[in-house]
């Protein structure tokens, strides 16, 4: 009888409420999942087309012999791909064939051409509305997305498995693989309205974050040593102008001059960097300080005999970043000047251009790509570039080296957005 009474008992209202709440939670989860899937599918992702193209080489070419023109302007050459911008995204092209390998674009009305940084595994695109997107370099698939406010153009940095970006009120690092935020560095109170900054990966899990700060004379900033595992600020040092990284233990900075007057020779300090701080190791003086590249323990200054307002550089001066001594100097041939250069794999890649002035009727350019030993300046190789005519609307007439590595050198006009020569 007791069993029959238990079977006939009235329903439990509390159990029914729990069941309804469970069903509602499941329904909400399904709707949320569908919304996320719809949101993700708004982006155009073509995915990889065919096998991944192998790199043209394991390092920058020591003796390139061929220059091939391409009618696009890639942001980077990585492995066998050229990473190029589109009006609302980024694409990767097979470097050998020029065919599109994958494409990622946003369909949002407020999406625009992004800023892009590329590593050996990841393409990171940062859009004007503040969306940061991590894309797998090999497949073109989206790994992650994150959103935060962005004001104006800012650089990105990829290193130590992290993407470092400026966020409101400071700097943040995100996982290169998963996009989750790893740490955040708050903006120092002494640094008002920081403008484009840089980050340098040093030894011992240290990243040096540079902030250019607004002050009364328009100069100055700060570099902060950050533990890139935790985001802890280990030290801080004031700087006057842009820093350069000499090697994993060295930063190069302009020190305050005696009077601060225009035209006074620059005092350049080599800073010995570790987790305890950034302290001067050596110092040298540069009459006209306009460094263009630093790597492999060498920094190269391209200021020379031309007037300060000239776009042409006729002298390259290299300094050893361990001791601060001049390593070598190279002058351009008469009637020639140097374009911007790159240091890679212990070599300097620079184009020696014939000088073409705006008033010249003859706009023909004669240019050679030079390969120099970075530590001695010795000429290792010379390649004559194809015959070129400087476009009439160009005021900057030199060809410049934009990148070197993975078997190729990228050379282009300073004022062009759709021309490049891939030198192999």
């Amino acid at each position: 009888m007791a069993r029959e009474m238990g079977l006939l008992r009235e329903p439990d209202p509390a159990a029914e409420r729990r069941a309804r709440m469970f069903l509602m939670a499941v329904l909400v989860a399904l709707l949320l999942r569908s919304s996320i899937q719809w949101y993700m599918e708004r982006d155009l992702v073509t995915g990889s087309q065919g096998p991944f193209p192998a790199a043209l080489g394991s390092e920058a070419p020591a003796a390139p012999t061929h220059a091939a023109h391409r009618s696009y302007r890639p942001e980077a050459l990585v492995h066998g791909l050229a990473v190029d911008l589109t009006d609302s995204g980024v694409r990767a092209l097979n470097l050998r064939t020029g065919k599109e390998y994958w494409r990622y674009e946003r369909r949002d009305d407020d999406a625009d051409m992004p800023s892009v940084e590329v590593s050996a595994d990841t393409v990171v695109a940062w859009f004007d509305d503040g969306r940061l997107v991590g894309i797998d370099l090999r497949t073109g698939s989206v790994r992650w997305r994150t959103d935060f406010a962005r004001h104006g153009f800012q650089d990105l940095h990829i290193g130590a498995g992290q993407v470092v970006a400026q966020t409101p009120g400071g700097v943040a690092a995100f996982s290169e693989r998963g996009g989750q935020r790893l740490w955040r560095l708050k903006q120092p109170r002494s640094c008002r309205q920081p403008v484009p900054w840089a980050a340098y990966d040093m030894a011992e899990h240290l990243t040096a974050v540079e902030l250019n700060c607004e002050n009364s004379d328009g100069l100055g900033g700060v570099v902060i040593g950050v533990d890139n595992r935790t985001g802890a600020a280990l030290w801080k040092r004031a700087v006057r102008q842009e820093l350069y990284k000499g090697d994993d233990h060295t930063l190069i900075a302009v020190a305050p001059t005696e009077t601060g007057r225009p035209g006074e020779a620059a005092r350049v300090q080599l800073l010995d960097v570790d987790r305890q701080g950034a302290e001067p190791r050596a110092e040298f003086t540069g009459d006209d300080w306009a460094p263009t590249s630093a790597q492999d323990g060498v920094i190269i200054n391209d200021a020379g005999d031309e007037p300060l307002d000239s776009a042409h550089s006729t002298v390259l001066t290299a300094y050893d970043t361990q001791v601060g001594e001049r390593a070598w100097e190279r002058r351009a041939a008469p009637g020639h000047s140097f374009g911007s250069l790159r240091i890679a794999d212990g070599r300097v890649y620079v184009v020696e251009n014939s000088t073409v002035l705006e008033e010249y009727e003859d706009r023909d350019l004669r240019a050679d790509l030079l390969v120099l030993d970075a530590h001695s300046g010795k000429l290792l190789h010379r390649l004559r570039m194809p015959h070129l005519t400087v476009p009439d609307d160009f005021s900057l007439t030199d060809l410049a080296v934009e990148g070197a590595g993975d078997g190729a050198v990228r050379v282009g006009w300073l004022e062009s957005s759709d021309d490049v020569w891939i030198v192999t």
Side-chain angles (χ1 to χ4, degrees):
M1 178 65 70
R3 183 177 180 183
E4 290 178 355
M5 292 179 63
L7 291 173
L8 296 175
R9 67 187 177 190
E10 295 182 359
D12 184 359
E16 289 182 354
R17 284 196 299 271
R18 288 195 296 269
R20 284 197 297 269
M21 290 178 64
F22 175 77
L23 290 174
M24 288 180 64
V26 171
L27 181 60
V28 169
L30 290 174
L31 290 173
L32 182 60
R33 180 178 178 182
S34 298
S35 298
I36 293 174
Q37 185 175 4
W38 172 83
Y39 181 83
M40 298 281 279
E41 289 175 352
R42 292 184 67 200
D43 295 344
L44 172 66
V45 182
T46 63
S48 55
Q49 309 294 313
F52 186 73
L56 301 178
S58 59
E59 58 182 28
T65 58
H66 180 67
H69 178 256
R70 295 287 185 266
S71 57
Y72 55 85
R73 192 67 173 268
E75 296 294 299
L77 305 181
V78 187
H79 301 305
L81 296 176
V83 179
D84 187 33
L85 297 182
T86 71
D87 289 341
S88 58
V90 61
R91 62 177 182 166
L93 305 173
N94 187 311
L95 197 53
R96 290 178 174 83
T97 66
K99 294 182 178 180
E100 188 172 293
Y101 185 65
W102 57 255
R103 176 183 290 254
Y104 168 80
E105 289 183 335
R106 288 181 58 191
R107 296 176 178 175
D108 307 69
D109 293 336
D110 54 356
D112 203 350
M113 185 179 292
S115 304
V116 168
E117 185 68 13
V118 183
S119 74
D121 299 301
T122 309
V123 177
V124 179
W126 197 4
F127 293 88
D128 283 344
D129 61 356
R131 178 165 301 166
L132 196 63
V133 182
I135 305 167
D136 189 302
L137 175 71
R138 292 179 174 269
T139 66
S141 60
V142 176
R143 288 179 178 166
W144 51 267
R145 296 171 176 82
T146 189
D147 294 89
F148 50 87
R150 171 184 172 181
H151 302 286
F153 175 82
Q154 303 292 350
D155 285 334
L156 292 169
H157 169 76
I158 302 180
Q162 302 178 359
V163 179
V164 183
Q166 186 170 3
T167 59
V171 172
F174 304 85
S175 167
E176 180 183 342
R177 297 289 300 181
Q180 62 270 28
R181 195 170 79 175
L182 302 176
W183 51 264
R184 182 174 180 270
L185 177 69
K186 291 184 178 180
Q187 171 186 322
R189 292 183 179 180
S190 60
C191 186
R192 296 185 296 115
Q193 299 181 6
V195 294
W197 53 273
Y200 311 92
D201 294 314
M202 315 301 287
E204 301 179 288
H205 302 288
L206 179 70
T207 294
V209 176
E210 177 190 4
L211 293 173
N212 294 331
C213 306
E214 180 187 86
N215 56 32
S216 58
D217 61 6
L219 296 174
V222 62
V223 57
I224 304 172
V226 180
D227 185 318
N228 57 33
R229 297 166 297 183
T230 65
L234 303 177
W235 49 262
K236 181 172 65 174
R237 182 182 181 88
V239 292
R240 287 191 65 244
Q241 293 182 7
E242 184 179 4
L243 293 170
Y244 286 82
K245 177 182 174 181
D247 54 48
D248 286 344
H249 298 276
T250 308
L251 291 175
I252 302 107
V254 177
T257 55
E258 296 297 329
T259 66
R261 295 171 183 168
E264 183 179 357
R267 291 174 50 226
V268 183
Q269 288 183 335
L270 305 179
L271 303 178
D272 201 1
V273 179
D274 57 24
R275 292 176 64 84
Q276 282 67 50
E279 298 300 328
R281 177 199 305 146
E283 186 175 291
F284 60 89
T285 301
D287 293 335
D288 296 317
W289 184 242
T292 60
S293 187
Q295 195 172 323
D296 296 335
V298 174
I299 187 166
I300 299 180
N301 183 38
D302 71 353
D305 297 336
E306 296 293 326
L308 291 178
D309 59 352
S310 173
H312 301 285
S313 171
T314 58
V315 181
L316 302 179
T317 306
Y319 296 88
D320 185 320
T321 61
Q322 285 297 310
V323 295
E325 295 180 354
R326 181 176 297 194
W328 52 267
E329 180 179 280
R330 184 177 186 87
R331 292 182 175 270
H336 289 70
S337 59
F338 295 115
S340 299
L341 59 88
R342 291 291 185 273
I343 303 172
D345 302 308
R347 295 181 286 270
V348 177
Y349 296 84
V350 63
V351 179
E352 188 176 53
N353 302 274
S354 61
T355 301
V356 178
L357 301 179
E358 289 186 78
E359 59 268 24
Y360 285 9
E361 290 186 12
D362 178 11
R363 303 278 286 180
D364 289 346
L365 180 73
R366 290 163 291 280
D368 291 348
L369 175 65
L370 308 184
V371 183
L372 312 176
D373 181 86
H375 296 277
S376 69
K378 178 183 177 182
L379 178 64
L380 303 176
H381 184 74
R382 178 188 293 266
L383 173 67
R384 173 58 55 92
M385 295 292 291
H387 178 269
L388 300 171
T389 300
V390 180
D392 291 336
D393 57 342
F394 282 13
S395 59
L396 301 175
T397 61
D398 289 347
L399 284 176
V401 175
E402 300 175 348
D406 289 320
V409 180
R410 182 165 41 113
V411 177
W413 302 109
L414 290 173
E415 294 185 48
S416 174
S417 60
D418 53 8
D419 279 296
V420 73
W421 284 265
I422 307 299
V423 185
T424 56

